[in-house]
Amino acid sequence: MGETDAPSGKRGIPISKGEHMLYLKAQELSQIQDVFNPNPLQDEKAIEKFYQDATEARTGDAYSGFVEKMDLLLLDSHESLIHKLFIGHAGVGKTTELYRLKHAAEARGFLTCFGRCDMELDSGDMEYTDVLFYILDLLVNQANDNNLKISSHMVEKIEQYWNSNTELIKTISTQGEAEVSIGAETEFGIKKVIKLLAGVKAILKNSAESKKEIRTQIEPRSSELLHQINGVIQDISNQMQKKAYPEIPLVILDGLDKIPLGQARKIFKENGSRFQGLQIHLLVTFPISLSYTPEYADIQVWFPNPEKLPMIKVRNWQRGMYQKEYEEGMDTIKNIIGKRADLSLFTDEALTKLIHYTGGNIRDLFRCICDAALRARLRKSRVLELEDADQALNTLESDINGRYSDELIGKMEEIYRGNKHVSSSEEITTLLQIGAVLEYNGTRWCDLHPLVEKWLIENKKISKS
C-alpha cells in the first residue's frame, strides 16, 4: 500500500479503518511515537512497509538471512524434524523475524502456531510442563482455526486427563473458569477442549496457588501429556496430507529468552529430552547469556544447530582493531529509521549520535528516538536536534549503568582493552544478560555498550586508551 493511500489529516500510525490498517511514514514529530513504538512488526503489511533487511550488517554475509534459511530448511525437511534454539539480545529484532518466518511458513502451507510465552504464561515462574501444555493449547486452537478436526478419541483422552483427579477438576472449574468467564459445560467436542485448556492456561498465568496444584498433578503424568500432544499432531498431519499440504506442523515459541536463567536451565537442560519426542518442527527463543555457559553443549543434544540473530554492529572489530571507515552498520540503521520516518525530521548530528551510542540495539534506539522527539516537541521544534538526542541518551545511559556492580568493571575494562572474545565466565554471562555488553556477528566477539563505555571513561572507572 502506498503512502498516498492514506486519508488526509490522519495522524495515528497505523490508522485503524474497520479491519484494515493504513501504515504511514512519519512526516512530522507528532507521528514519531506510533512508528517507533517498541512492538515487533507482526502483520504482512507492516513488515512490507517498515522492514529493512540487515543480514549483511549483522553477520557480514548477505546469504545468511535467518528467515530465508529457515524457509528453505522447512521446504527440504520432509521426514526429519527441526528443533532449534533462536538466540539474540533483547531488542535485536527476534520477534519481528519470527513473525516473518510465520508468514513464510503459512505461505508454504504449513500449519503454523505462534506462541508468546512471555504474554500467555507467567514468565517469572515457568516449568517445562507449562511449556508442554502451551504447545498442546496452541495446536488445538490452530487446528480449530483452520477447520481441522481432532478425533473424538483424542478429545476424550484430553478430557479424561484433566478430569481424572478430583482436586484438579475443582481447581480448574473454580479458578480457571473464573478467569475465562465461560462455562465448558455449554460446549462439546473440540470447543469444549478449547474452553477447558483456556481455564488451565489462565491458572498458569495468573494464579500462583492453583498453579502449584496443577503442576503437582501434571508432573508425574507428563508422559501422558506428551502422548496427547502427539495424538493431536497425528490428527492434524493426517488431514494436512489429504489436502496435499506439508504434514509436519511448525510451532514457534517466543518469549522463553526472557525467563530467569534458573528456570531456563530446568526447561532446556534438565528436561530438554521431553521436547525431542514431539513430532513437530519446533523453534524456541533462548536466553543469550545461557548460550555462553557449560550447559549449552548439553542443551544442543536436544536442540541442535541453533540460530543466532546478532546485533547490527556500528563498529567492526577485526584483527585486534576497529576497522577504519566502516559505515555499513550505520547506513543500515539509518535505512531502518528512514523506512519509518522522513530523515529531515532529524539533524544529521542528532541522527548519527543516536545510532552510534545505542550500539545497534534497535529497541534502545527506538526508545531514545521517542524520548528525543517528545523533548523536541516541548521545545516547539519541528526537528529533533542534538540537544534532544543528548538528553534521551543521558536517560538511557543512567538506566544501563545502574544494572551492574563495581565488581564487574574489571571484566568490562578487559573488553575495552581488546579482549573481546566472549567467554563462558559468570561475569560475561551477567553482562550479556543485562545488556551492558553486546555480542556482534554471531562469531563470539563482543563489545561494551557504547553508553557503558562512555560512562566508565567519563567517571574514571577505566582509563581511556
Side-chain angles (χ1 to χ4, degrees), residues 105-166:
E106 288 173 340
R108 296 280 189 192
F110 284 89
L111 183 127
T112 306
C113 304
F114 193 111
R116 297 291 300 272
C117 296
D118 52 331
M119 294 183 176
E120 294 286 300
L121 300 174
D122 181 358
S123 59
D125 178 18
M126 196 180 303
E127 300 287 347
Y128 81 93
T129 49
D130 301 359
V131 180
L132 288 175
F133 161 80
Y134 188 39
I135 291 173
L136 174 63
D137 178 67
L138 287 169
L139 286 165
V140 171
N141 275 277
Q142 196 63 42
N144 183 61
D145 290 346
N146 284 270
N147 297 314
L148 300 177
K149 296 181 180 180
I150 304 300
S151 66
S152 57
H153 171 68
M154 279 311 308
V155 167
E156 184 179 346
K157 286 188 69 174
I158 294 171
E159 288 186 81
Q160 286 179 349
Y161 181 84
W162 297 105
N163 292 331
S164 61
N165 181 280
T166 304

Side-chain angles (χ1 to χ4, degrees), residues 373-417:
L374 285 176
R375 186 181 186 278
R377 293 196 69 213
L378 289 171
R379 291 192 302 104
K380 310 300 183 184
S381 173
R382 293 185 178 184
V383 178
L384 192 159
E385 299 181 4
L386 185 59
E387 63 177 278
D388 307 308
D390 283 338
Q391 288 300 317
L393 289 167
N394 286 343
T395 301
L396 179 60
E397 179 182 311
S398 177
D399 180 0
I400 295 176
N401 286 293
R403 299 174 189 171
Y404 57 83
S405 63
D406 287 349
E407 287 77 13
L408 294 170
I409 292 176
K411 176 57 68 176
M412 289 191 284
E413 183 166 15
E414 286 182 26
I415 295 170
Y416 175 69
R417 298 287 174 210

Side-chain angles (χ1 to χ4, degrees), residues 1-10 15 22-24:
M1 177 177 295
E3 293 170 38
T4 56
D5 294 328
S8 60
K10 298 295 185 180
I15 299 172
L22 303 179
Y23 297 93
L24 304 179

Side-chain angles (χ1 to χ4, degrees), residues 177 238 263 293 363 448:
E177 289 189 12
N238 290 341
Q263 293 183 12
T293 64
R363 184 176 296 169
L448 299 181

Side-chain angles (χ1 to χ4, degrees), residues 52 312-314 328-338 355 358-362 365:
Q52 171 68 40
I312 301 171
K313 54 186 179 291
V314 294
E328 185 177 336
M330 295 284 288
D331 290 343
T332 299
I333 297 174
K334 187 178 291 188
N335 289 337
I336 290 173
I337 297 171
I355 295 172
T358 48
N361 187 311
I362 301 301
L365 174 66

